[in-house]
Amino acid sequence: MNLSDKKILVTGGAGFIGSNLCEVLLEKKNRVVCLDNFATGKRENVKDLQSNPNFKLIEGDIRNLEDCKVAVSKVDYVLHQAALGSVPRSIKDPITTNDVNVSGFLNMLVASRDAGVKRFVYAASSSTYGDSESLPKVEDVIGKPLSPYAITKYVNELYADVFSKTYGLETVGLRYFNVFGRKQDPNGAYAAVIPKFVKQFMNGKSPVINGDGNYSRDFTYIDNVIQANILALVTNNPKAVNTVYNVAFGERNTLNELVGYLREVLSKLDPSINNVKIEYGPNRQGDIPHSLASINKAEKLLNYKPQFSLQKGLKEAVQWYWENL
Ligand code: NAD
């Protein structure tokens, strides 16, 4: 199927991943509705889209069923990205995280079911692997959640599965692994590690690694995530829907390696960054030592072929921060 001339709702469309999705869908000549309450999203992320007649911004809250119903009206597909991210945020305030990520998710499922949406693709999370130590992570082998955030993302998968079986709503869950790239917020207590470190390096401040830097992650560039979302929307393979997929590059790098690559790319733009020292702090609660995805399932069923390794993605991301921060 060719993805154009469709009406697609992106919830959380003013956020990092959502705004990138909105942009690409508009480029492909779809009509895009963005539902966001700007809890963590930014107006500047959608500023350039607002002059496009095919883009509609609805300022609303997924905790409010009416807002969800309005947003989903006459929509073909939903890409549900709205949620409160961050493990530490959920440890500090589990109630709000649960309200948004679980009740809000359920509202979106109900509204999508009632509006006859053709497919509901949603942001799941690698945090669902919890305390499972097996590597690489395969979709069927999960452990116990290690944070309130992880519980909410697992509950999303359970609800989606029940809505597929009970009401026939087609769903696809995409378990993102440590996504990074343009428009990701470098500021605030809950900023993700890559934009935070880029900004600190650029300001000559020492990045602080939690632990000894040997923890590893499957860092995933935004364009790989966009590819997975589009493939999840267009697949007409019945075996490919009503299930969940890892969305990652399929390699892992330690935090020390990450910082080394960042320094390499950034010091070409400003040689003084070579002198910035790295600091080490305590390990963070709820963090697992290593994370690496098997992407076999997405490769096989969705024809997913990620094009950006960590190093290739970092070059693009750093250039964007250099020009935009
Ligand atoms: P983000 O914070 O940039 O985007 C989330 C968006 O949701 C924001 O624009 C925010 O304002 C919006 N939102 C929050 N609460 C809302 C509410 N009650 N009503 C309407 N909108 C609301 O985060 P992101 O990194 O773009 O994450 C997008 C999705 O991907 C989230 O579901 C997140 O849990 C998931 N995810 C992200 C990563 C990652 O590495 N970034 C990894 C795994 C899963």
Side-chain angles (χ1 to χ4, degrees):
M1 188 190 78
N2 204 352
L3 189 68
S4 66
D5 208 22
K6 298 284 184 293
K7 189 174 177 190
I8 303 168
L9 168 63
V10 181
T11 69
F16 157 47
I17 297 171
S19 61
N20 276 292
L21 287 169
C22 288
E23 202 176 307
V24 169
L25 293 169
L26 287 168
E27 278 164 15
K28 290 181 178 290
K29 308 277 179 243
N30 296 285
R31 283 164 293 149
V32 174
V33 180
C34 162
L35 173 65
D36 206 298
N37 72 345
F38 295 97
T40 57
K42 296 217 163 353
R43 283 176 206 279
E44 69 205 47
N45 285 346
V46 288
K47 199 180 73 201
D48 291 348
L49 310 180
Q50 277 174 294
S51 57
N52 188 324
N54 286 329
F55 181 74
K56 185 177 171 192
L57 172 64
I58 299 178
E59 196 163 342
D61 196 312
I62 57 167
R63 287 169 291 185
N64 179 338
L65 181 58
E66 268 316 300
D67 287 356
C68 299
K69 285 188 170 166
V70 169
V72 88
S73 164
K74 300 198 173 66
V75 153
D76 296 298
Y77 300 112
V78 174
L79 291 178
H80 178 63
Q81 311 299 310
L84 285 178
S86 162
V87 164
R89 188 204 314 269
S90 78
I91 292 173
K92 191 152 184 244
D93 181 3
I95 291 178
T96 310
T97 294
N98 192 80
D99 282 349
V100 175
N101 296 10
V102 177
S103 301
F105 187 88
L106 182 57
N107 284 339
M108 278 306 306
L109 281 177
V110 167
S112 301
R113 178 200 66 187
D114 293 352
V117 162
K118 296 191 186 86
R119 190 170 294 163
F120 182 92
V121 176
Y122 63 95
S125 166
S126 61
S127 63
T128 293
Y129 290 103
D131 66 0
S132 161
E133 284 178 5
S134 67
L135 287 180
K137 308 290 182 198
V138 284
E139 283 82 350
D140 290 346
V141 184
I142 62 169
K144 282 201 176 138
L146 290 169
S147 67
Y149 171 75
I151 294 179
T152 67
K153 287 292 169 176
Y154 182 44
V155 171
N156 288 176
E157 294 186 8
L158 298 174
Y159 263 125
D161 188 50
V162 164
F163 268 63
S164 304
K165 289 178 180 139
T166 312
Y167 307 113
L169 176 68
E170 281 192 6
T171 66
V172 180
L174 301 175
R175 286 184 190 158
Y176 302 155
F177 282 65
N178 294 79
V179 188
F180 71 99
R182 57 192 177 272
K183 294 187 178 178
Q184 191 172 27
D185 192 353
N187 300 309
Y190 303 123
V193 63
I194 292 181
K196 186 162 84 181
F197 283 5
V198 171
K199 189 173 175 188
Q200 286 169 332
F201 267 130
M202 280 171 59
N203 292 336
K205 294 209 175 106
S206 292
V208 181
I209 294 180
N210 301 313
D212 64 5
N214 288 318
Y215 277 19
S216 62
R217 295 289 180 267
D218 196 332
F219 294 104
T220 308
Y221 187 57
I222 182 69
D223 286 14
N224 300 330
V225 171
I226 292 170
Q227 183 195 132
N229 273 276
I230 290 173
L231 291 169
L233 283 183
V234 301
T235 182
N236 50 20
N237 174 1
K239 289 201 180 109
V241 296
N242 304 330
T243 188
V244 296
Y245 297 94
N246 291 339
V247 173
F249 184 65
E251 277 179 18
R252 72 187 164 100
N253 287 97
T254 66
L255 270 291
N256 285 329
E257 284 169 336
L258 168 69
V259 164
Y261 295 145
L262 279 177
R263 189 197 288 285
E264 199 180 305
V265 183
L266 279 159
S267 58
K268 287 198 183 115
L269 299 164
D270 175 357
S272 74
I273 289 173
N274 260 326
N275 306 325
V276 177
K277 299 246 172 331
I278 310 300
E279 287 175 14
Y280 291 87
N283 278 322
R284 222 173 49 164
Q285 208 183 350
D287 266 355
I288 49 158
H290 303 292
S291 181
L292 167 69
S294 159
I295 54 170
N296 288 350
K297 184 174 172 184
E299 284 174 332
K300 198 165 145 229
L301 290 175
L302 294 178
N303 203 20
Y304 170 65
K305 294 188 185 74
Q307 301 294 311
F308 286 83
S309 63
L310 171 62
Q311 280 171 280
K312 189 173 166 194
L314 278 183
K315 281 192 194 130
E316 301 231 346
V318 163
Q319 190 61 38
W320 187 87
Y321 285 110
W322 190 257
E323 287 164 15
N324 290 277
L325 277 192

